[in-house]
Amino acid sequence: MFPMDVPHGACLRRDAVRLIGEKRVRSAIADGTFATPWPGVVVDPARAAEPLTVVAAGLLAGGPEARASGPTAAFLHGLDAVDPTPVDLLVPYGSTRRTGRGLVVHNGRDLVDDTTEIHGLPALCLGRVLSDVLCSRRHQDALALVDQALARLPPEQREAFRATLHDRLRRRPDPRGTRVGARLLDLATGLAESPAESWMLWRIVDLGFPVPEVNHSMNDVQGRPRWRLDLSWPALRIAVEYDGRLAHLDRTELDGMRVQALRGLGWIVIVVDVDDLRSTLRVERELHEAFVARGLDPRGRTAGALRPRPHRERLVG
C-alpha cells in the first residue's frame, strides 16, 4: 500500500522523504511500493495508470513553473476527445525543462495571466488551451475539442464564447496557424455527438465539399422530430451517417432501418465507420457520385481546404 495520503497519488521524492524518511522511500522504490515515472517523482503504483495521476506526476516532473497545456489541460477542463497523454506542459522561456519520455514540453508566455487551478493542479485556462490547439494540433482533434467545449454551453452562449476565441487568435504573438485555426473555429457547432463526428466533418470539408449541416432534424408528417442526421445537405437530400460500431451496438438494427427508410424517401445515405477515419477514399468517391447525381459537378473543389498554405499568413479582421 502507498504509505502516504498525497493529492492524486503523486508527490515529489523529496516530499516523500520529508514525510516518511529516506530509508523508507528507498525501500518502497526497491520493492515496488512506489512507482517512479520520472526522476524525483513517486506515485502510488495502484493509480499509476489513472490519467489524473499521470498528469499530476508530469506536472511535478515539470517543476513549479510548469502548467498543463494542450490536450492534457483540455482533459483537466473535462474535454476528453483527445488522449491527455503524453503530458503536455508549458513552461516560461528560459526554462531548462526539456521534452522527454512521456512529457512534451513547450515554451510560452503569459503563463500567469492564463493560469487556473483544476483539481488542485495548475493548468492553462480553457480559452488559452483551445486557441493554442486550434493553431498547433491536428486539425480534427482541435475541432473535436472545440465542439465538446461548445456543447457544454447553453446554445445562447456559444457565439459569445466563439467570439472570445477569435479574439485570442487575433492577439496571438505567433501568427502561425491562426488562419486555419479561425476556419476550424467557425466550423465547430457544439452539435456533434461524438469526437468521431467532428473528425468526419473535418475530413469532408477538408476534401473541398460544401460544409454540411450537423445533426439536421427530420420531422414526421405531424411535425414531430423523428431523426437527426449526423451530417447532411438537406436541400440535396444527401446524408453521411457515422456508425460507431461499439457505441451503436445496441442500435445496429434500428440504424439500418433508418438508413433504409431515408433511402426510401429519396435520400442518398453514405454510411461511414472508424475505418473511414483512417482513409477517406471511399467516402470521397461516394460523396462525389452523390453530388453528381444531384446535378452538381464537384470536380472544382479544392482538397486540403483546411490545411496550412505554403507561406505563413497572419490572421486579419
Side-chain angles (χ1 to χ4, degrees), residues 146-164:
V146 176
D147 261 337
Q148 280 194 330
L150 289 174
R152 298 194 311 178
L153 296 172
E156 65 272 14
Q157 296 180 17
R158 292 173 185 171
E159 290 312 308
F161 183 69
R162 192 194 310 273
T164 65

Side-chain angles (χ1 to χ4, degrees), residues 218-229:
M218 288 189 64
N219 299 333
D220 60 20
V221 293
Q222 295 178 329
R224 296 173 300 191
R226 185 180 182 187
W227 296 311
R228 282 190 300 173
L229 308 181

Side-chain angles (χ1 to χ4, degrees), residues 13-238:
R13 186 186 189 281
R14 64 171 178 264
D15 291 336
V17 169
R18 178 175 53 80
L19 289 170
I20 65 174
E22 177 69 30
K23 184 176 180 180
R24 289 188 66 191
V25 170
R26 287 184 180 178
S27 176
I29 292 173
D31 66 17
T33 304
F34 286 170
T36 54
W38 291 286
V41 178
V42 296
V43 304
D44 180 354
R47 302 176 61 183
E50 296 179 7
L52 196 56
T53 300
V54 175
V55 173
L59 281 162
L60 290 171
E65 294 182 308
R67 304 289 184 266
S69 65
T72 301
F75 165 77
L76 294 178
H77 283 282
L79 310 179
D80 61 1
V82 183
D83 196 322
T85 58
V87 178
D88 266 290
L89 301 177
L90 191 69
V91 298
Y93 286 103
S95 171
T96 59
R97 184 62 55 185
R98 295 291 181 264
T99 292
R101 176 180 54 86
L103 292 178
V104 179
V105 180
H106 313 269
N107 296 102
R109 52 174 64 90
D110 300 329
L111 271 66
V112 174
D113 292 341
D114 284 341
T115 293
T116 188
E117 188 174 284
I118 313 172
H119 304 299
L121 302 174
L124 296 180
C125 66
L126 185 57
R128 172 69 178 271
V129 171
L130 294 178
S131 61
D132 285 350
V133 300
L134 281 166
C135 297
S136 61
R137 299 306 172 101
R138 290 199 324 163
H139 301 146
Q140 55 269 51
D141 289 344
L143 178 59
L145 288 171
V146 176
D147 261 337
Q148 280 194 330
L150 289 174
R152 298 194 311 178
L153 296 172
E156 65 272 14
Q157 296 180 17
R158 292 173 185 171
E159 290 312 308
F161 183 69
R162 192 194 310 273
T164 65
L165 293 180
H166 271 299
D167 184 58
R168 278 189 172 270
L169 292 176
R170 283 190 290 268
R171 292 187 289 109
R172 275 176 65 88
D174 184 352
R176 290 175 296 180
T178 53
R179 179 187 62 84
V180 174
R183 291 201 62 193
L184 289 169
L185 178 55
D186 285 335
L187 193 60
T189 62
L191 299 176
E193 296 182 343
S194 70
E197 291 180 18
S198 298
W199 298 332
M200 184 54 65
L201 171 62
W202 174 82
R203 290 193 178 278
I204 287 172
V205 177
D206 189 57
L207 287 170
F209 291 103
V211 177
E213 185 173 332
V214 178
N215 272 323
H216 172 70
S217 180
M218 288 189 64
N219 299 333
D220 60 20
V221 293
Q222 295 178 329
R224 296 173 300 191
R226 185 180 182 187
W227 296 311
R228 282 190 300 173
L229 308 181
D230 293 338
L231 302 171
S232 64
W233 296 264
L236 300 175
R237 289 185 298 169
I238 299 173

Side-chain angles (χ1 to χ4, degrees), residues 196 242-249 255 272-274:
Y242 179 73
D243 176 10
R245 293 186 182 177
L246 291 178
H248 291 188
L249 198 57
D255 285 348
V272 302
D273 59 27
V274 66

